[in-house]
Every structure is written in C-alpha cells, then in structure tokens.
Amino acid sequence: MKVATGTKIVNGIGIGKIRIFKAPVYDIDESEVEDPIPELKRFEDARIKVQQAQHALYEKALQTAGEESAGIFEAHELMLDDDDLIDECKAIMAEQNRRAEYAVRQGFDNVAQMFRDMDDPYFQARSADVIDLKNSMLDVLLGNDTGAGFGDEPFILVAEDLAPSETVKLDKSLLLGLVTREGSSSSHTAILARSMNLPSLIQCKDISDDWDGKEAILDGYNSCIYIEPTQDLVASLTARREEDLKQEALLQELKGKDNTTIDGKTIKVYANIGGPSDMGAVQVNDAGGVGLFRSEFVYLGSPVDPSEEAQFEAYKRVLETLSPKFVIIRTCDIGADKTIDYMDLDKEENPALGYRAIRICLTRKDFFKRQLRALLRASAFGNLGIMFPMIISLREVRECKELLAECRRELENENVKMGQIQVGIMIETPAAALCADELAEEVDFFSLGTNDLTQYTCAIDRQNAKLEPFADAHHPAVLKLIQMTIEAGHRHNIWVGICGELGADLTLTETFLRMGVDELSVNPKSVLSLRKKIRSIDLSKAPAPEN
Ligand code: PEP
Ligand code: MG
C-alpha cells in the first residue's frame, strides 16, 4: 500500500479504482510519408469514428439537455460530411505526402480561420466547432484517452489540474472523488468539487501515472489517498463511509423544517448551482431557492457561444422546474480562471484584476444583450432575480440597468411575455462594499461574493496555491466589509445575502446571523447542515466564541 497526501477540499471517503485524466497533447509528426494511401484510409476511419461519437453525444444530449443543446452535436456530424473540409485534408495528404494527423491539424485550422474571418458572428462562432472536431479527430488518430471513455464503472479521478471547462464536462454520476497535483482551495474547480460533495484533494504532489486502474481509497478526513489499501483499511474506511451516509440520512429529517434560530429569527437558505443539471440537488436538499446560478457554466459547457435561444431554454428549464422558488441568475462571469476559446480573450498579466465579468459584458454589448434578452424571456416562467458580478461603481450598475431596460423595450415591441424580476448586484470588491450605500439605491438586493471579496481585500490570488499559508478565511477586514454591506443594505431597505463559500462555513453562521444577514446561499449539499446549525443558535444569549 502507498499513501500520498494533499490538501483537503471536501471531507468524506471515496473507495474505487483510479482513472488518470490527461488533457490531450497533440504531438504531431510533420515528416513526409512515402505512400499517402494508408493515411487517406486512417483519415476516413477516424472521420467515421468521430461522426459516430458525435451522433451518440447527440442522442445523449437529447435525453438530458433538450433539442437546442443536442443540435450542436448534430451540426458537428454534418460538418464532418462537408466536402470542402474533407477535400482540404485529403489534398494535404495526397499532394504533400503528409500523415493524416498533420493534414487534420492543417486542414481544420484553415477552415476554422476561414470562419473566423467572416463578418457574420454566427459563422465566426462556427470556428470553435471546427476546432472541437479537430481535437476529436486528433484524439482518435493519436490514440489519446481524453477521459471521455472511462466506461460505466465509478472511479476516483486523478489529474495534474482541471480547468473549470474540463470539470463541467465530466460525468459526475460516476465520480467517487477528485485528486489533483495543482489547484487552490478557492478555485472554481474546488467550488465545483464542493458543490458535488466529492471527497477531494488538491496539491497532491506524489501523483503518478502508474496509479491508473489501481484500487484506492481517498480519505478526505486525513487529506490523503491510499493506493492498493490493505484489507483492514478497506474494512475500517468502508465503515466510516457508512457512518457518513447514516449522518446524511439523519439530516434528511430536517427537510421541510424552517431555518429558524432558537429565539425565532428566520433566514433564507438557498443553493448555488452551475446549470440545469444541478436542479435535482436543489430539490433533494430542500433549498428554499437558488441564490447563485453561475450562468457562465452554461457558456463553459458549450463548444460555441450559446445563442439567445439556447440560453433561454436553459434558464426557462431552471425557472419552470423550480417555480415558485426564487432563482437568482448571475450574468456571465467569465474571465480569470474561467476562460473560453470562442471568446478570444487575450492572455493577461493579472487576469483576476483584468478584463472579466461585467467588464466584458459592458464592452461586448451584443453578447450581453443576448443573455439579458434570454433572461427576460425566461422570467415569464418563474420567479427570477438577475445579479451582476464584479461591480465596482454606480456607473456600471446604471449601465447594466439601462441595457436591461433596452432589452425589455425590445421584447415588449415583439409582444414577448415577461415576468417581474428583482435586480441585484454582487458585492465582491472592496470598492463595492465601501460604496454600498450609494449602490443600494439602485438595486433590490445585494449578494456578498466572499471568494472574490477575500481575494481583493487581502490581495491574495485565489488561484495561487502558494499563498494558502497567508490566506485567512476569517480575516477581520473581510468580516468588517461584510458587516458594513449588510448595514448599508438595511439602511436602504434592501435584503442582503452571502453566496460565497463563507456562507457554508458553520463556524461563522452565528456571526453572520448577528450581523443581520437575510440569506445564505451555499452548495446544495450544505443546505441541511446549515439548517441544523441555524436551528441550534440562540441569538438572545451572549455570542458563542468562534470555534
Ligand atoms: C464569489 O466571488 O464569492 C462568488 C460567489 O463568485 P465566484 O466564486 O463564482 O467568483
Ligand atoms: Mg466572484
């Protein structure tokens, strides 16, 4: 048995086989071949295989995500029949005596560039499909295991690192745990792991390729993973896992109960989600609503810039299914660690302080308006709140509201039905917290994004694992800004919630209640334990020391 240690992100035990996830590297042989005929055959075989895979994805998406999303894969199937694309690749093989993978890289890149150069944004966006297909073709030709073909058996996923865009594509139903060599505890990948309640370790430096396929136990409690564990250890940690399941079952008894303290103060406990697929977790864990729908995961999960229609379908599904629960959808918070190829964003020196979130939306107005229109249309189907991220000034809030009003007017002229919505902003920069009095005049609610608020207040890059020793999740400056924001909101009669990870920190629940917070939005799996904590607090008594 081997033991490797790391930094725990989520407690719990995962028992099963390891699968190593590798982001594909395309090492392409550029030398000439004597005979291109076998290469033409390899190309044709790969094309058919990828086409069949796209068809299978189409069928799957049709069941799980609806017609609009499935359409992407149908379009991919058709693209692989495109004569121009096929001829381009074949010419490179036949005329330049090159291997199939060289021809695919060259041919698909040329066609992608051709789309990129077109004026119509629809055709420009198709370049991302071509690149996606190029990678699938190269995976087949070079025999890469992209992690898509892990089979049906549950597994512990081990990776160097995972980008949010890779994490959203994983089949969560099969994951027993997550271990990465890199990563930081407040990265979005860590947030996704928490929301899935997956036992997870980051910074596990001893990861090794020869773990692939081996039996293992991920022990979140002790921040380690055992490779080929002894029978005794399997028995004792299986018992621990069963105990966890029993405790989870006990929490179920809190379903349907109020989030009310012993002395009678009730607050809202909502859930954070990343898309329609998390709705089940909202229901199962009895969250009162959704306090943060990170809409950028709809963009990250799509190979192309999602159309107004595709977004409308996703938002409508969530609102309709959860109605009459209140659902706050945050507008696209892309940038920093959440990057998307089709957005063509420049590499920056300081991405967390850079061109991101509302800064992108307010400079790419057509992109932003597409989302606002989709949200307004979806508002007819449920109880919607729209929230703008990364706000630092009154000017930005007013501009967002003007664009929203413009979209509303357009849709009224088109006779589209819309519902009432609340408009709020995230308070996740010190600038916003310090200007909370002025900002509160403009909106219906505030939601404190403590992940970024901590990053910007303490000047600690949340992506940089080296800074963990300097990070203090309970830094007094952050707590002071939270208190100031709640007080400012209440002075202007608006409600104030917390949707950052601190909301689920049970050692701070009493502090937040004493500050007067109105809502806590946490990952769905934390809803019932937070309810249990709230119900154990008596605000009429002297404050309990932080533990
Ligand atoms: C936050 O910053 O606290 C937040 C909720 O947003 P995100 O974690 O997605 O940046
Ligand atoms: Mg944030």
PDB file of all heavy atoms in Angstrom, residues 299-332:
ATOM      1  N   TYR A 299     -22.048  28.716 -20.586  1.00  0.00           N
ATOM      2  CA  TYR A 299     -21.128  29.070 -21.675  1.00  0.00           C
ATOM      3  C   TYR A 299     -19.941  28.098 -21.704  1.00  0.00           C
ATOM      4  O   TYR A 299     -19.500  27.678 -22.754  1.00  0.00           O
ATOM      5  CB  TYR A 299     -20.573  30.489 -21.468  1.00  0.00           C
ATOM      6  CG  TYR A 299     -21.599  31.593 -21.571  1.00  0.00           C
ATOM      7  CD1 TYR A 299     -22.498  31.836 -20.539  1.00  0.00           C
ATOM      8  CD2 TYR A 299     -21.650  32.401 -22.699  1.00  0.00           C
ATOM      9  CE1 TYR A 299     -23.423  32.858 -20.631  1.00  0.00           C
ATOM     10  CE2 TYR A 299     -22.570  33.424 -22.799  1.00  0.00           C
ATOM     11  CZ  TYR A 299     -23.460  33.650 -21.752  1.00  0.00           C
ATOM     12  OH  TYR A 299     -24.373  34.654 -21.841  1.00  0.00           O
ATOM     13  N   LEU A 300     -19.426  27.752 -20.505  1.00  0.00           N
ATOM     14  CA  LEU A 300     -18.266  26.857 -20.449  1.00  0.00           C
ATOM     15  C   LEU A 300     -18.605  25.461 -20.960  1.00  0.00           C
ATOM     16  O   LEU A 300     -17.756  24.756 -21.493  1.00  0.00           O
ATOM     17  CB  LEU A 300     -17.763  26.737 -19.006  1.00  0.00           C
ATOM     18  CG  LEU A 300     -16.983  27.932 -18.459  1.00  0.00           C
ATOM     19  CD1 LEU A 300     -16.862  27.850 -16.948  1.00  0.00           C
ATOM     20  CD2 LEU A 300     -15.606  27.991 -19.073  1.00  0.00           C
ATOM     21  N   GLY A 301     -19.853  25.058 -20.760  1.00  0.00           N
ATOM     22  CA  GLY A 301     -20.257  23.710 -21.146  1.00  0.00           C
ATOM     23  C   GLY A 301     -20.580  23.599 -22.620  1.00  0.00           C
ATOM     24  O   GLY A 301     -20.924  22.531 -23.102  1.00  0.00           O
ATOM     25  N   SER A 302     -20.489  24.724 -23.351  1.00  0.00           N
ATOM     26  CA  SER A 302     -20.890  24.700 -24.759  1.00  0.00           C
ATOM     27  C   SER A 302     -19.673  24.922 -25.663  1.00  0.00           C
ATOM     28  O   SER A 302     -18.838  25.771 -25.368  1.00  0.00           O
ATOM     29  CB  SER A 302     -21.926  25.812 -24.986  1.00  0.00           C
ATOM     30  OG  SER A 302     -22.090  26.055 -26.344  1.00  0.00           O
ATOM     31  N   PRO A 303     -19.575  24.172 -26.766  1.00  0.00           N
ATOM     32  CA  PRO A 303     -18.419  24.373 -27.654  1.00  0.00           C
ATOM     33  C   PRO A 303     -18.509  25.669 -28.454  1.00  0.00           C
ATOM     34  O   PRO A 303     -17.539  26.110 -29.037  1.00  0.00           O
ATOM     35  CB  PRO A 303     -18.476  23.158 -28.583  1.00  0.00           C
ATOM     36  CG  PRO A 303     -19.887  22.709 -28.554  1.00  0.00           C
ATOM     37  CD  PRO A 303     -20.441  23.076 -27.217  1.00  0.00           C
ATOM     38  N   VAL A 304     -19.706  26.242 -28.505  1.00  0.00           N
ATOM     39  CA  VAL A 304     -19.881  27.507 -29.237  1.00  0.00           C
ATOM     40  C   VAL A 304     -20.581  28.508 -28.340  1.00  0.00           C
ATOM     41  O   VAL A 304     -21.215  28.147 -27.351  1.00  0.00           O
ATOM     42  CB  VAL A 304     -20.764  27.324 -30.499  1.00  0.00           C
ATOM     43  CG1 VAL A 304     -20.045  26.519 -31.547  1.00  0.00           C
ATOM     44  CG2 VAL A 304     -22.093  26.675 -30.150  1.00  0.00           C
ATOM     45  N   ASP A 305     -20.450  29.765 -28.700  1.00  0.00           N
ATOM     46  CA  ASP A 305     -21.126  30.828 -27.971  1.00  0.00           C
ATOM     47  C   ASP A 305     -22.635  30.527 -27.959  1.00  0.00           C
ATOM     48  O   ASP A 305     -23.257  30.499 -29.019  1.00  0.00           O
ATOM     49  CB  ASP A 305     -20.834  32.133 -28.735  1.00  0.00           C
ATOM     50  CG  ASP A 305     -21.233  33.338 -27.943  1.00  0.00           C
ATOM     51  OD1 ASP A 305     -21.776  33.172 -26.849  1.00  0.00           O
ATOM     52  OD2 ASP A 305     -20.996  34.458 -28.437  1.00  0.00           O
ATOM     53  N   PRO A 306     -23.247  30.265 -26.792  1.00  0.00           N
ATOM     54  CA  PRO A 306     -24.648  29.837 -26.832  1.00  0.00           C
ATOM     55  C   PRO A 306     -25.579  30.941 -27.341  1.00  0.00           C
ATOM     56  O   PRO A 306     -25.452  32.091 -26.940  1.00  0.00           O
ATOM     57  CB  PRO A 306     -24.969  29.466 -25.375  1.00  0.00           C
ATOM     58  CG  PRO A 306     -23.868  30.018 -24.558  1.00  0.00           C
ATOM     59  CD  PRO A 306     -22.697  30.284 -25.440  1.00  0.00           C
ATOM     60  N   SER A 307     -26.476  30.564 -28.203  1.00  0.00           N
ATOM     61  CA  SER A 307     -27.404  31.532 -28.793  1.00  0.00           C
ATOM     62  C   SER A 307     -28.397  32.007 -27.733  1.00  0.00           C
ATOM     63  O   SER A 307     -28.508  31.407 -26.653  1.00  0.00           O
ATOM     64  CB  SER A 307     -28.184  30.854 -29.925  1.00  0.00           C
ATOM     65  OG  SER A 307     -28.946  29.788 -29.381  1.00  0.00           O
ATOM     66  N   GLU A 308     -29.148  33.069 -28.062  1.00  0.00           N
ATOM     67  CA  GLU A 308     -30.202  33.546 -27.149  1.00  0.00           C
ATOM     68  C   GLU A 308     -31.178  32.403 -26.858  1.00  0.00           C
ATOM     69  O   GLU A 308     -31.593  32.192 -25.723  1.00  0.00           O
ATOM     70  CB  GLU A 308     -30.939  34.730 -27.796  1.00  0.00           C
ATOM     71  CG  GLU A 308     -32.097  35.256 -26.956  1.00  0.00           C
ATOM     72  CD  GLU A 308     -32.862  36.367 -27.654  1.00  0.00           C
ATOM     73  OE1 GLU A 308     -32.223  37.240 -28.283  1.00  0.00           O
ATOM     74  OE2 GLU A 308     -34.114  36.368 -27.551  1.00  0.00           O
ATOM     75  N   GLU A 309     -31.478  31.642 -27.894  1.00  0.00           N
ATOM     76  CA  GLU A 309     -32.451  30.560 -27.770  1.00  0.00           C
ATOM     77  C   GLU A 309     -31.944  29.465 -26.813  1.00  0.00           C
ATOM     78  O   GLU A 309     -32.686  28.981 -25.956  1.00  0.00           O
ATOM     79  CB  GLU A 309     -32.678  29.977 -29.178  1.00  0.00           C
ATOM     80  CG  GLU A 309     -34.004  29.329 -29.393  1.00  0.00           C
ATOM     81  CD  GLU A 309     -35.187  30.224 -29.052  1.00  0.00           C
ATOM     82  OE1 GLU A 309     -35.116  31.445 -29.267  1.00  0.00           O
ATOM     83  OE2 GLU A 309     -36.161  29.659 -28.518  1.00  0.00           O
ATOM     84  N   ALA A 310     -30.663  29.094 -26.993  1.00  0.00           N
ATOM     85  CA  ALA A 310     -30.100  28.030 -26.144  1.00  0.00           C
ATOM     86  C   ALA A 310     -30.083  28.480 -24.690  1.00  0.00           C
ATOM     87  O   ALA A 310     -30.384  27.705 -23.775  1.00  0.00           O
ATOM     88  CB  ALA A 310     -28.684  27.689 -26.603  1.00  0.00           C
ATOM     89  N   GLN A 311     -29.746  29.753 -24.470  1.00  0.00           N
ATOM     90  CA  GLN A 311     -29.724  30.260 -23.091  1.00  0.00           C
ATOM     91  C   GLN A 311     -31.139  30.320 -22.524  1.00  0.00           C
ATOM     92  O   GLN A 311     -31.381  29.925 -21.386  1.00  0.00           O
ATOM     93  CB  GLN A 311     -29.114  31.650 -23.061  1.00  0.00           C
ATOM     94  CG  GLN A 311     -27.656  31.654 -23.400  1.00  0.00           C
ATOM     95  CD  GLN A 311     -27.067  33.037 -23.151  1.00  0.00           C
ATOM     96  OE1 GLN A 311     -27.161  33.569 -22.061  1.00  0.00           O
ATOM     97  NE2 GLN A 311     -26.469  33.602 -24.171  1.00  0.00           N
ATOM     98  N   PHE A 312     -32.050  30.816 -23.338  1.00  0.00           N
ATOM     99  CA  PHE A 312     -33.441  30.908 -22.901  1.00  0.00           C
ATOM    100  C   PHE A 312     -33.944  29.535 -22.434  1.00  0.00           C
ATOM    101  O   PHE A 312     -34.542  29.397 -21.372  1.00  0.00           O
ATOM    102  CB  PHE A 312     -34.298  31.457 -24.048  1.00  0.00           C
ATOM    103  CG  PHE A 312     -35.780  31.258 -23.877  1.00  0.00           C
ATOM    104  CD1 PHE A 312     -36.466  31.935 -22.881  1.00  0.00           C
ATOM    105  CD2 PHE A 312     -36.481  30.381 -24.702  1.00  0.00           C
ATOM    106  CE1 PHE A 312     -37.836  31.739 -22.715  1.00  0.00           C
ATOM    107  CE2 PHE A 312     -37.835  30.180 -24.537  1.00  0.00           C
ATOM    108  CZ  PHE A 312     -38.519  30.862 -23.549  1.00  0.00           C
ATOM    109  N   GLU A 313     -33.637  28.508 -23.229  1.00  0.00           N
ATOM    110  CA  GLU A 313     -34.076  27.147 -22.885  1.00  0.00           C
ATOM    111  C   GLU A 313     -33.511  26.726 -21.525  1.00  0.00           C
ATOM    112  O   GLU A 313     -34.223  26.166 -20.690  1.00  0.00           O
ATOM    113  CB  GLU A 313     -33.600  26.151 -23.954  1.00  0.00           C
ATOM    114  CG  GLU A 313     -34.401  26.160 -25.236  1.00  0.00           C
ATOM    115  CD  GLU A 313     -35.853  25.766 -25.046  1.00  0.00           C
ATOM    116  OE1 GLU A 313     -36.137  25.017 -24.087  1.00  0.00           O
ATOM    117  OE2 GLU A 313     -36.702  26.221 -25.836  1.00  0.00           O
ATOM    118  N   ALA A 314     -32.205  27.001 -21.303  1.00  0.00           N
ATOM    119  CA  ALA A 314     -31.562  26.584 -20.044  1.00  0.00           C
ATOM    120  C   ALA A 314     -32.176  27.332 -18.861  1.00  0.00           C
ATOM    121  O   ALA A 314     -32.533  26.736 -17.837  1.00  0.00           O
ATOM    122  CB  ALA A 314     -30.061  26.842 -20.117  1.00  0.00           C
ATOM    123  N   TYR A 315     -32.342  28.656 -18.990  1.00  0.00           N
ATOM    124  CA  TYR A 315     -32.885  29.451 -17.875  1.00  0.00           C
ATOM    125  C   TYR A 315     -34.354  29.084 -17.622  1.00  0.00           C
ATOM    126  O   TYR A 315     -34.797  28.978 -16.480  1.00  0.00           O
ATOM    127  CB  TYR A 315     -32.753  30.950 -18.162  1.00  0.00           C
ATOM    128  CG  TYR A 315     -31.346  31.404 -18.513  1.00  0.00           C
ATOM    129  CD1 TYR A 315     -31.121  32.460 -19.406  1.00  0.00           C
ATOM    130  CD2 TYR A 315     -30.226  30.776 -17.970  1.00  0.00           C
ATOM    131  CE1 TYR A 315     -29.830  32.869 -19.737  1.00  0.00           C
ATOM    132  CE2 TYR A 315     -28.935  31.178 -18.303  1.00  0.00           C
ATOM    133  CZ  TYR A 315     -28.744  32.220 -19.190  1.00  0.00           C
ATOM    134  OH  TYR A 315     -27.478  32.617 -19.516  1.00  0.00           O
ATOM    135  N   LYS A 316     -35.077  28.907 -18.717  1.00  0.00           N
ATOM    136  CA  LYS A 316     -36.504  28.572 -18.590  1.00  0.00           C
ATOM    137  C   LYS A 316     -36.671  27.250 -17.839  1.00  0.00           C
ATOM    138  O   LYS A 316     -37.512  27.125 -16.951  1.00  0.00           O
ATOM    139  CB  LYS A 316     -37.130  28.491 -19.989  1.00  0.00           C
ATOM    140  CG  LYS A 316     -38.555  28.004 -20.002  1.00  0.00           C
ATOM    141  CD  LYS A 316     -39.102  27.981 -21.414  1.00  0.00           C
ATOM    142  CE  LYS A 316     -40.363  27.158 -21.446  1.00  0.00           C
ATOM    143  NZ  LYS A 316     -40.501  26.261 -22.546  1.00  0.00           N
ATOM    144  N   ARG A 317     -35.844  26.272 -18.224  1.00  0.00           N
ATOM    145  CA  ARG A 317     -35.951  24.953 -17.575  1.00  0.00           C
ATOM    146  C   ARG A 317     -35.763  25.066 -16.073  1.00  0.00           C
ATOM    147  O   ARG A 317     -36.487  24.475 -15.283  1.00  0.00           O
ATOM    148  CB  ARG A 317     -34.898  23.996 -18.143  1.00  0.00           C
ATOM    149  CG  ARG A 317     -35.490  23.069 -19.169  1.00  0.00           C
ATOM    150  CD  ARG A 317     -34.448  22.202 -19.774  1.00  0.00           C
ATOM    151  NE  ARG A 317     -34.022  21.118 -18.900  1.00  0.00           N
ATOM    152  CZ  ARG A 317     -32.819  20.549 -18.973  1.00  0.00           C
ATOM    153  NH1 ARG A 317     -31.943  20.970 -19.832  1.00  0.00           N
ATOM    154  NH2 ARG A 317     -32.516  19.564 -18.173  1.00  0.00           N
ATOM    155  N   VAL A 318     -34.763  25.861 -15.675  1.00  0.00           N
ATOM    156  CA  VAL A 318     -34.486  26.003 -14.243  1.00  0.00           C
ATOM    157  C   VAL A 318     -35.648  26.728 -13.558  1.00  0.00           C
ATOM    158  O   VAL A 318     -36.170  26.286 -12.525  1.00  0.00           O
ATOM    159  CB  VAL A 318     -33.151  26.754 -14.025  1.00  0.00           C
ATOM    160  CG1 VAL A 318     -32.947  27.067 -12.558  1.00  0.00           C
ATOM    161  CG2 VAL A 318     -31.993  25.919 -14.548  1.00  0.00           C
ATOM    162  N   LEU A 319     -36.066  27.849 -14.152  1.00  0.00           N
ATOM    163  CA  LEU A 319     -37.130  28.652 -13.510  1.00  0.00           C
ATOM    164  C   LEU A 319     -38.446  27.881 -13.431  1.00  0.00           C
ATOM    165  O   LEU A 319     -39.114  27.878 -12.397  1.00  0.00           O
ATOM    166  CB  LEU A 319     -37.334  29.949 -14.297  1.00  0.00           C
ATOM    167  CG  LEU A 319     -36.253  30.991 -14.050  1.00  0.00           C
ATOM    168  CD1 LEU A 319     -36.242  32.042 -15.142  1.00  0.00           C
ATOM    169  CD2 LEU A 319     -36.448  31.652 -12.685  1.00  0.00           C
ATOM    170  N   GLU A 320     -38.775  27.222 -14.520  1.00  0.00           N
ATOM    171  CA  GLU A 320     -40.043  26.499 -14.587  1.00  0.00           C
ATOM    172  C   GLU A 320     -40.055  25.327 -13.603  1.00  0.00           C
ATOM    173  O   GLU A 320     -41.013  25.142 -12.856  1.00  0.00           O
ATOM    174  CB  GLU A 320     -40.223  25.984 -16.012  1.00  0.00           C
ATOM    175  CG  GLU A 320     -41.650  25.799 -16.439  1.00  0.00           C
ATOM    176  CD  GLU A 320     -41.702  25.600 -17.955  1.00  0.00           C
ATOM    177  OE1 GLU A 320     -40.790  24.956 -18.532  1.00  0.00           O
ATOM    178  OE2 GLU A 320     -42.655  26.078 -18.556  1.00  0.00           O
ATOM    179  N   THR A 321     -38.942  24.594 -13.588  1.00  0.00           N
ATOM    180  CA  THR A 321     -38.891  23.408 -12.726  1.00  0.00           C
ATOM    181  C   THR A 321     -38.910  23.805 -11.259  1.00  0.00           C
ATOM    182  O   THR A 321     -39.539  23.137 -10.441  1.00  0.00           O
ATOM    183  CB  THR A 321     -37.603  22.601 -13.005  1.00  0.00           C
ATOM    184  OG1 THR A 321     -37.490  22.422 -14.394  1.00  0.00           O
ATOM    185  CG2 THR A 321     -37.606  21.271 -12.304  1.00  0.00           C
ATOM    186  N   LEU A 322     -38.209  24.885 -10.919  1.00  0.00           N
ATOM    187  CA  LEU A 322     -38.107  25.234  -9.502  1.00  0.00           C
ATOM    188  C   LEU A 322     -39.229  26.158  -9.034  1.00  0.00           C
ATOM    189  O   LEU A 322     -39.355  26.415  -7.836  1.00  0.00           O
ATOM    190  CB  LEU A 322     -36.744  25.869  -9.214  1.00  0.00           C
ATOM    191  CG  LEU A 322     -35.528  24.953  -9.426  1.00  0.00           C
ATOM    192  CD1 LEU A 322     -34.237  25.682  -9.118  1.00  0.00           C
ATOM    193  CD2 LEU A 322     -35.609  23.688  -8.567  1.00  0.00           C
ATOM    194  N   SER A 323     -40.010  26.682  -9.958  1.00  0.00           N
ATOM    195  CA  SER A 323     -41.092  27.610  -9.594  1.00  0.00           C
ATOM    196  C   SER A 323     -41.969  26.984  -8.493  1.00  0.00           C
ATOM    197  O   SER A 323     -42.263  25.795  -8.564  1.00  0.00           O
ATOM    198  CB  SER A 323     -41.930  27.909 -10.841  1.00  0.00           C
ATOM    199  OG  SER A 323     -42.997  28.724 -10.500  1.00  0.00           O
ATOM    200  N   PRO A 324     -42.394  27.711  -7.462  1.00  0.00           N
ATOM    201  CA  PRO A 324     -42.299  29.161  -7.288  1.00  0.00           C
ATOM    202  C   PRO A 324     -41.043  29.606  -6.527  1.00  0.00           C
ATOM    203  O   PRO A 324     -40.987  30.739  -6.058  1.00  0.00           O
ATOM    204  CB  PRO A 324     -43.547  29.471  -6.454  1.00  0.00           C
ATOM    205  CG  PRO A 324     -43.687  28.268  -5.568  1.00  0.00           C
ATOM    206  CD  PRO A 324     -43.203  27.095  -6.400  1.00  0.00           C
ATOM    207  N   LYS A 325     -40.062  28.732  -6.422  1.00  0.00           N
ATOM    208  CA  LYS A 325     -38.854  29.151  -5.696  1.00  0.00           C
ATOM    209  C   LYS A 325     -38.189  30.308  -6.446  1.00  0.00           C
ATOM    210  O   LYS A 325     -38.218  30.366  -7.676  1.00  0.00           O
ATOM    211  CB  LYS A 325     -37.861  27.987  -5.606  1.00  0.00           C
ATOM    212  CG  LYS A 325     -38.250  26.869  -4.648  1.00  0.00           C
ATOM    213  CD  LYS A 325     -37.108  25.866  -4.572  1.00  0.00           C
ATOM    214  CE  LYS A 325     -37.520  24.497  -4.075  1.00  0.00           C
ATOM    215  NZ  LYS A 325     -37.771  24.370  -2.680  1.00  0.00           N
ATOM    216  N   PHE A 326     -37.554  31.190  -5.668  1.00  0.00           N
ATOM    217  CA  PHE A 326     -36.842  32.327  -6.234  1.00  0.00           C
ATOM    218  C   PHE A 326     -35.491  31.835  -6.779  1.00  0.00           C
ATOM    219  O   PHE A 326     -34.793  31.072  -6.099  1.00  0.00           O
ATOM    220  CB  PHE A 326     -36.634  33.366  -5.128  1.00  0.00           C
ATOM    221  CG  PHE A 326     -36.030  34.657  -5.578  1.00  0.00           C
ATOM    222  CD1 PHE A 326     -36.489  35.336  -6.695  1.00  0.00           C
ATOM    223  CD2 PHE A 326     -34.994  35.245  -4.848  1.00  0.00           C
ATOM    224  CE1 PHE A 326     -35.928  36.545  -7.092  1.00  0.00           C
ATOM    225  CE2 PHE A 326     -34.432  36.452  -5.227  1.00  0.00           C
ATOM    226  CZ  PHE A 326     -34.900  37.103  -6.354  1.00  0.00           C
ATOM    227  N   VAL A 327     -35.144  32.246  -8.001  1.00  0.00           N
ATOM    228  CA  VAL A 327     -33.883  31.811  -8.614  1.00  0.00           C
ATOM    229  C   VAL A 327     -33.095  33.046  -9.062  1.00  0.00           C
ATOM    230  O   VAL A 327     -33.567  33.822  -9.892  1.00  0.00           O
ATOM    231  CB  VAL A 327     -34.145  30.910  -9.850  1.00  0.00           C
ATOM    232  CG1 VAL A 327     -32.834  30.559 -10.551  1.00  0.00           C
ATOM    233  CG2 VAL A 327     -34.881  29.641  -9.451  1.00  0.00           C
ATOM    234  N   ILE A 328     -31.899  33.210  -8.499  1.00  0.00           N
ATOM    235  CA  ILE A 328     -31.060  34.353  -8.900  1.00  0.00           C
ATOM    236  C   ILE A 328     -30.044  33.866  -9.922  1.00  0.00           C
ATOM    237  O   ILE A 328     -29.223  32.985  -9.632  1.00  0.00           O
ATOM    238  CB  ILE A 328     -30.311  34.945  -7.690  1.00  0.00           C
ATOM    239  CG1 ILE A 328     -31.311  35.439  -6.641  1.00  0.00           C
ATOM    240  CG2 ILE A 328     -29.392  36.080  -8.141  1.00  0.00           C
ATOM    241  CD1 ILE A 328     -30.662  35.943  -5.357  1.00  0.00           C
ATOM    242  N   ILE A 329     -30.127  34.419 -11.126  1.00  0.00           N
ATOM    243  CA  ILE A 329     -29.166  34.048 -12.166  1.00  0.00           C
ATOM    244  C   ILE A 329     -28.152  35.185 -12.296  1.00  0.00           C
ATOM    245  O   ILE A 329     -28.524  36.337 -12.516  1.00  0.00           O
ATOM    246  CB  ILE A 329     -29.868  33.776 -13.516  1.00  0.00           C
ATOM    247  CG1 ILE A 329     -30.918  32.665 -13.328  1.00  0.00           C
ATOM    248  CG2 ILE A 329     -28.834  33.377 -14.584  1.00  0.00           C
ATOM    249  CD1 ILE A 329     -31.629  32.222 -14.584  1.00  0.00           C
ATOM    250  N   ARG A 330     -26.903  34.824 -12.085  1.00  0.00           N
ATOM    251  CA  ARG A 330     -25.848  35.818 -12.228  1.00  0.00           C
ATOM    252  C   ARG A 330     -25.439  35.896 -13.692  1.00  0.00           C
ATOM    253  O   ARG A 330     -25.229  34.862 -14.336  1.00  0.00           O
ATOM    254  CB  ARG A 330     -24.641  35.411 -11.382  1.00  0.00           C
ATOM    255  CG  ARG A 330     -23.432  36.277 -11.666  1.00  0.00           C
ATOM    256  CD  ARG A 330     -22.298  35.956 -10.761  1.00  0.00           C
ATOM    257  NE  ARG A 330     -21.589  34.749 -11.149  1.00  0.00           N
ATOM    258  CZ  ARG A 330     -20.587  34.227 -10.440  1.00  0.00           C
ATOM    259  NH1 ARG A 330     -20.236  34.782  -9.289  1.00  0.00           N
ATOM    260  NH2 ARG A 330     -19.967  33.153 -10.843  1.00  0.00           N
ATOM    261  N   THR A 331     -25.331  37.105 -14.204  1.00  0.00           N
ATOM    262  CA  THR A 331     -24.934  37.239 -15.612  1.00  0.00           C
ATOM    263  C   THR A 331     -23.488  36.760 -15.764  1.00  0.00           C
ATOM    264  O   THR A 331     -22.746  36.678 -14.789  1.00  0.00           O
ATOM    265  CB  THR A 331     -25.095  38.687 -16.117  1.00  0.00           C
ATOM    266  OG1 THR A 331     -24.302  39.550 -15.315  1.00  0.00           O
ATOM    267  CG2 THR A 331     -26.551  39.120 -16.075  1.00  0.00           C
ATOM    268  N   CYS A 332     -23.128  36.483 -17.007  1.00  0.00           N
ATOM    269  CA  CYS A 332     -21.894  35.767 -17.329  1.00  0.00           C
ATOM    270  C   CYS A 332     -20.648  36.360 -16.648  1.00  0.00           C
ATOM    271  O   CYS A 332     -20.268  37.497 -16.897  1.00  0.00           O
ATOM    272  CB  CYS A 332     -21.724  35.797 -18.842  1.00  0.00           C
ATOM    273  SG  CYS A 332     -20.357  34.797 -19.378  1.00  0.00           S
TER     274      CYS A 332
END
